[in-house]
Amino acid sequence: MNDPALLHGWRHVYSGKVRDLYVPDDTPEGASGERMLVVASDRVSSFDHVLEPGIPDKGVLLTTLSLWWFDRLAGGDGGRRIPNHLVADHVLGSDDTAHELIPDAVAGRAMVVRALDMQPIECVVRGYLTGSGWLEYQSTGTVCGIPIAPGLADGDRLPEPIFTPAYKAPMGEHDENISFERTAEIVGSEMAERLRELSLEIYARAAATAEERGLILADTKFEFGLDQQGVLTLADEVLTPDSSRYWDADAWRTGTTPAERMASFDKQIVRNWLAAAWVPREGEPPRLPDEIAAQTSARYAELLRRLTAV
């Protein structure tokens, strides 16, 4: 994994597979601080491994798209305001305080956010049958234990979007798909209901926006935390190609095979190449070819253009 940058005014405290987290230099050791700097790297992960090289411009593309979605979900799409973890003056196109706080070395790929009490649940919403859900459906007729109508094919739209949470495992371990009942045991019944309701609302609004632009939002995942006033707040990245599956709507309608129908704007290019070139979890993965990295970057850029162009 690439070493995180040394940034003036900020102290590195954590690195995930693709993001680095910093707190202000004057934050006492062990304290979370009121603000944090989240930096999106160009690193790409697949099958729980970080690959080399990274995807060109990935951090900038994903941060730009997250900021655009945060802005829309804060009322820019005409819906009710969904609170998010950006500092108050950190908005898309802002030219003031939050941008002044972001070091030049990570400009365009970083967000200044409020510290939250994060919920240990990854809030997954699926609107279409694909991936691990399709594999489960073939054998049991369910997706994450939820019964689904018979007769569907890979890539078909589900009768209605479903909430399929996962427990966020400690670093180095795998997240675990869990039932809604188990979610309620972990965070309480009221919080579980709030997480499900808010996740389904955000998915519906985002899917409608994508549809207007000739795209399908097949599935996505959200993370939430509580702010100091106890307000449930949208956090992390949101509705990016790293956390969501986007397909081309025309290809989905006219395609005759699953691959044609699910013309993807996410890192499926990387997954497909890696699955063909390497037996997952057997040794270290091979180096990602430059052309695969470039193709993935181009798809991310095309998604950003199609979503945000007006």
Side-chain angles (χ1 to χ4, degrees), residues 7-180:
L7 302 177
H8 177 70
W10 297 92
R11 185 175 77 248
H12 174 256
V13 292
Y14 173 79
S15 286
K17 291 187 180 72
V18 297
R19 280 183 296 280
D20 302 311
L21 184 63
Y22 298 77
V23 296
D25 270 340
D26 58 1
T27 304
E29 289 290 340
S32 61
E34 294 184 0
R35 291 187 174 190
M36 297 182 293
L37 182 73
V38 179
V39 179
S41 74
D42 289 343
R43 300 189 295 267
V44 62
S45 69
S46 187
F47 297 105
D48 293 321
H49 283 265
V50 176
L51 308 179
E52 293 287 349
I55 305 301
D57 300 321
K58 173 175 175 280
V60 171
L61 291 167
L62 267 59
T63 298
T64 302
L65 188 55
S66 278
L67 290 173
W68 185 82
W69 277 117
F70 280 131
D71 185 61
R72 288 190 63 81
L73 294 168
D77 63 351
R80 74 179 178 109
R81 178 182 178 274
I82 304 295
N84 64 63
H85 69 339
L86 298 177
V87 298
D89 47 11
H90 194 330
V91 295
L92 189 64
S94 174
D95 192 29
D96 45 28
T97 306
H99 285 247
E100 292 174 5
L101 290 172
I102 295 176
D104 290 342
V106 293
R109 64 175 62 245
M111 299 182 291
V112 180
V113 305
R114 295 176 291 134
L116 303 173
D117 179 13
M118 296 300 296
Q119 296 296 299
I121 302 297
E122 189 172 77
C123 296
V124 180
V125 179
R126 303 169 190 258
Y128 289 75
L129 185 60
T130 191
S132 61
W134 166 242
L135 296 177
E136 179 184 333
Y137 176 79
Q138 287 178 285
S139 61
T140 65
T142 63
V143 175
C144 294
I146 300 172
I148 303 297
L152 298 182
D154 190 9
D156 279 358
R157 187 172 185 166
L158 294 170
E160 61 181 6
I162 57 175
F163 178 68
T164 58
Y167 175 68
K168 288 159 56 176
M171 186 177 179
E173 301 180 19
H174 299 293
D175 290 348
E176 174 193 357
N177 290 336
I178 58 176
S179 66
F180 181 77

Side-chain angles (χ1 to χ4, degrees), residues 183-204:
T183 302
E185 291 176 1
I186 295 171
V187 299
S189 299
E190 180 181 353
M191 178 57 70
E193 289 284 0
R194 292 171 66 190
L195 291 172
R196 177 167 63 181
E197 178 184 346
L198 192 53
S199 297
L200 289 170
E201 177 187 342
I202 296 172
Y203 173 82

Side-chain angles (χ1 to χ4, degrees), residues 223-240:
E223 295 195 29
F224 297 94
L226 296 173
D227 69 8
Q228 293 182 346
Q229 287 72 46
V231 176
L232 192 60
T233 301
L234 183 61
D236 201 57
E237 63 177 333
V238 61
L239 295 160
T240 73

